[in-house]
């Protein structure tokens, strides 16, 4: 059963939620209890309806929940969970975003010192690469049979089985193996490399750097596999052409290293390095002015709102109730329309918000450090936060479904998992 749950969870993360997790995705017991109680209250008098069996509808329901969760987290990162914290988040800058991009992750209290530093990137963290033999596009020398080989990734071992038929060429087999490995989504990317009309299978790890002193991220073998062996030696799949290596960089002249190109500095900056620095030309990283930070925060809020509207609108032609979802969120923006307009934000006909950057900067500059001028935006953010929580709690409310019967008011049984029907959708065809 644990293997089934692991498969379901990995499928969920890759198919439905390929988004970065944040600290707002962890919850206390009291918060989980509050969610459970809200579900019970919501379902107390909810009608019974037929289960949804359409694959497209199931994907839509999970996607609605995930987009609502992402909107919630985006507002939370701007300080929307605290009474007076909205838009007080500092913004960081990098003098060369082609070398390093940076985000400030410190608290308001820790930002008083205005930290800054110089970053010089010497090498980037690299993945492990296995490159097999370059073979001609001729019939393989392997006899027709069912073959298998194993790929060990971290503490997991995956077996791949495939057939070789009479007349199959080396290139056909490599393309088949490439699809097989990529579809498994085990953290290894496979592709067929070509050189002088000869072909080789290249395997590259998603992970970079050296972890726990281990010299490899994955190993390929068929020494103890269940089917016929021989393909690993025939194609050279176990040859490590490029070992994984750590990133090397200097912070204020002090040498540092990281197994990833994405790391934090002093629990204040989230850094993504992208290229090696030119010689003796470090990137300077620091905090933006209050006016620039406020402008960035507002643009992030508008961008998150637009991303949600855009995602919901993508289902308008296939899911009839998605129109209601778009209408409810755009109605929230319409409620504050005149005030948003005065600050440089305009509500478009499709429900999205456009921003006049110049007017927004003027408003932010005129306010100084007094955020009372943005009280309307705080109310707008609170309304979005409340609505996103509602959608996340019950995404099935925006699914077209057939009602079977209404409950007898005051004489019914609580069904706390009705709104969580989407969670069962992820287990379809697994159990």
């Amino acid at each position: 059963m644990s293997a089934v749950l692991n498969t379901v969870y990995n499928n969920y993360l890759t198919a439905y939620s390929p988004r970065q997790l944040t600290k707002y995705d962890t919850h206390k017991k009291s918060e989980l209890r509050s969610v459970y109680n809200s579900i019970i209250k919501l379902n107390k008098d909810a009608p019974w309806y037929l289960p949804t069996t359409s694959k497209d509808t199931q994907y839509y329901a999970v996607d609605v929940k995930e987009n609502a969760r992402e909107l919630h987290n985006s507002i939370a990162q701007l300080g929307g969970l605290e009474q007076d914290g909205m838009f007080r988040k500092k913004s960081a800058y990098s003098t060369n975003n082609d070398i390093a991009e940076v985000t400030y992750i410190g608290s308001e209290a820790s930002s008083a010192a205005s930290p800054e530093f110089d970053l010089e990137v010497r090498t980037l963290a690299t993945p492990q690469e296995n490159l097999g033999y370059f073979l001609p596009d001729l019939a393989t020398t392997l006899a027709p049979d069912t073959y298998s080989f194993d790929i060990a990734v971290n503490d997991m071992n995956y077996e791949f089985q495939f057939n070789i038929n009479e007349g199959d060429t080396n290139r056909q087999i490599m393309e088949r193996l490439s699809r097989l490995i990529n579809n498994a989504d085990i953290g290894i990317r496979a592709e067929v490399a070509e050189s002088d009309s000869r072909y080789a299978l290249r395997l590259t790890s998603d992970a970079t750097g050296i972890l726990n002193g281990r010299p490899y991220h994955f190993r390929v073998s068929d020494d103890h596999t269940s089917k016929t062996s021989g393909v690993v030696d025939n194609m050279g799949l176990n040859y490590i052409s490029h070992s994984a290596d750590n990133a090397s960089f200097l912070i204020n002249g002090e040498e540092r290293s990281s197994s990833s190109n994405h790391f934090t500095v002093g629990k204040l900056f989230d850094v993504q390095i992208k290229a090696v620095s030119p010689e003796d030309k470090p990137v300077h990283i620091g905090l933006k002015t209050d006016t620039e930070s406020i402008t960035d925060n507002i643009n992030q809020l508008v961008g998150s709102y637009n991303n949600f509207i855009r995602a919901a609108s993508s289902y308008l032609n296939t899911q009839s109730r998605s129109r209601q979802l778009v209408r409810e969120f755009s109605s929230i923006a319409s409620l504050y329309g005149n005030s948003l307009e005065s600050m440089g934000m305009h509500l478009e006909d499709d429900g999205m918000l456009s921003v006049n950057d110049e007017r927004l900067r003027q408003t932010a500059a005129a306010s100084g450090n007094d955020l009372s001028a943005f009280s309307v935006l705080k109310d707008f953010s609170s309304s979005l936060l409340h609505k996103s929580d509602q959608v996340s709690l019950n995404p099935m409310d925006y699914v077209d479904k057939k009602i079977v019967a209404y409950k007898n008011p005051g004489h019914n049984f609580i069904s706390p998992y009705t709104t969580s029907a989407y969670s069962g959708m992820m287990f379809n065809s697994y159990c």
Side-chain angles (χ1 to χ4, degrees):
M1 184 62 184
S2 60
V4 173
L5 289 174
N6 185 64
T7 304
V8 172
Y9 182 68
N10 288 337
N11 177 72
Y12 170 75
L13 287 180
T14 55
Y16 297 108
S17 183
R19 302 173 175 88
Q20 184 178 357
L21 296 179
T22 71
K23 64 180 181 180
Y24 302 105
D25 292 299
T26 60
H27 303 281
K28 302 175 183 177
K29 289 183 180 180
S30 58
E31 293 174 321
L32 296 176
R33 189 179 300 111
S34 176
V35 171
Y36 176 76
N37 290 334
S38 297
I39 291 176
I40 290 179
K41 182 178 179 180
L42 184 66
N43 282 276
K44 187 175 181 180
D45 296 310
W48 293 101
Y49 55 85
L50 291 177
T52 303
T53 57
S54 167
K55 291 287 185 182
D56 291 338
T57 302
Q58 292 170 358
Y59 181 91
Y60 161 71
V62 177
D63 201 37
V64 164
K65 176 181 174 62
E66 285 306 311
N67 281 295
R69 180 183 66 84
E70 189 171 21
L71 178 59
H72 169 98
N73 288 352
S74 180
I75 297 174
Q77 288 173 346
L78 295 174
L81 299 183
E82 301 170 7
Q83 181 148 7
D84 294 318
M86 195 66 186
F87 303 132
R88 293 190 179 277
K89 176 188 174 185
K90 293 289 186 180
S91 294
Y93 70 87
S94 166
T95 55
N96 192 335
N97 285 323
D98 292 332
I99 302 295
E101 288 187 348
V102 61
T103 303
Y104 184 72
I105 57 174
S107 65
E108 173 65 19
S110 61
S111 67
S114 297
E116 55 185 43
F117 61 92
D118 288 331
L119 172 67
E120 184 177 346
V121 182
R122 289 184 169 178
T123 61
L124 295 176
T126 56
Q128 175 185 338
E129 178 187 278
N130 282 24
L131 183 63
Y133 302 139
F134 281 91
L135 303 174
D137 189 18
L138 300 174
T140 181
T141 57
L142 295 169
D145 204 342
T146 299
Y147 289 80
S148 65
F149 61 93
D150 302 316
I151 299 182
V153 183
N154 296 325
D155 296 325
M156 299 292 292
N157 196 67
Y158 303 89
E159 182 180 85
F160 294 88
Q161 298 183 9
F162 64 101
N163 294 323
I164 292 182
N165 303 313
E166 190 71 39
D168 282 350
T169 66
N170 292 316
R171 182 181 180 182
Q172 289 174 332
I173 296 172
M174 291 178 191
E175 290 175 344
R176 192 178 306 155
L177 293 181
S178 177
R179 291 192 297 270
L180 188 65
I181 294 172
N182 288 333
N183 289 337
D185 196 21
I186 60 173
I188 306 293
R189 302 188 311 276
E191 62 178 346
V192 178
E194 180 183 0
S195 178
D196 297 328
S197 299
R198 301 171 77 87
Y199 302 88
L201 189 63
R202 178 186 286 120
L203 305 178
T204 307
S205 65
D206 290 339
T208 59
I210 302 172
L211 297 176
N212 302 323
R214 195 158 41 188
Y216 59 86
H217 283 287
F218 66 92
R219 299 184 68 178
V220 186
S221 70
D222 54 7
D223 297 335
H224 304 288
T225 194
S226 64
K227 301 297 182 181
T228 303
S229 60
V231 68
V232 173
D233 288 339
N234 179 269
M235 294 186 173
L237 301 183
N238 59 345
Y239 171 66
I240 300 178
S241 55
H242 193 294
S243 299
D245 203 359
N246 288 340
S248 175
F249 50 91
L250 300 177
I251 293 182
N252 290 335
E254 181 181 344
E255 190 166 354
R256 304 279 188 89
S257 67
S258 170
S259 62
S260 171
N261 293 316
H262 190 186
F263 52 86
T264 61
V265 177
K267 296 183 180 180
L268 297 175
F269 295 96
D270 183 278
V271 181
Q272 174 76 49
I273 56 176
K274 302 159 66 175
V276 175
S277 301
E279 188 173 356
D280 297 327
K281 289 187 177 181
V283 176
H284 188 72
I285 291 173
L287 294 179
K288 293 183 179 180
T289 63
D290 290 339
T291 298
E292 291 175 315
S293 294
I294 292 172
T295 303
D296 285 350
N297 290 341
I298 294 174
N299 274 310
Q300 183 178 333
L301 172 66
V302 172
S304 299
Y305 166 84
N306 284 342
N307 286 340
F308 184 90
I309 295 294
R310 190 179 294 111
S313 298
S314 66
Y315 292 98
L316 289 177
N317 295 328
T318 57
Q319 302 294 330
S320 60
R321 289 183 64 82
S322 63
R323 194 171 304 278
Q324 177 187 346
L325 183 61
V326 174
R327 185 167 56 248
E328 289 180 3
F329 273 82
S330 59
S331 294
I332 295 175
S334 178
L335 181 64
Y336 301 97
N338 292 334
S339 298
L340 295 179
E341 192 84 37
S342 66
M343 287 182 280
M345 284 158 277
H346 177 69
L347 181 62
E348 305 291 346
D349 293 338
D350 58 3
M352 298 180 66
L353 287 170
S354 59
V355 180
N356 184 321
D357 290 326
E358 182 61 30
R359 186 184 298 179
L360 180 59
R361 279 194 293 269
Q362 291 174 356
T363 304
S367 67
N369 200 32
D370 181 11
L371 296 181
S372 60
F374 298 99
S375 58
V376 172
L377 268 178
K378 291 182 180 181
D379 294 339
F380 175 52
S381 303
S382 297
S383 298
L384 288 180
L385 189 67
H386 178 68
K387 190 62 185 178
S388 65
D389 288 342
Q390 282 185 340
V391 175
S392 181
L393 190 66
N394 186 18
M396 299 303 294
D397 195 34
Y398 300 93
V399 172
D400 189 17
K401 49 193 179 294
K402 294 181 179 179
I403 295 177
V404 177
Y406 290 95
K407 296 178 183 178
N408 184 10
H411 302 82
N412 53 54
F413 293 99
I414 296 173
S415 51
Y417 300 106
T418 302
T419 62
S420 301
Y422 57 84
S423 60
M425 296 173 186
M426 294 183 289
F427 288 84
N428 282 353
S429 76
Y430 287 100
C431 301

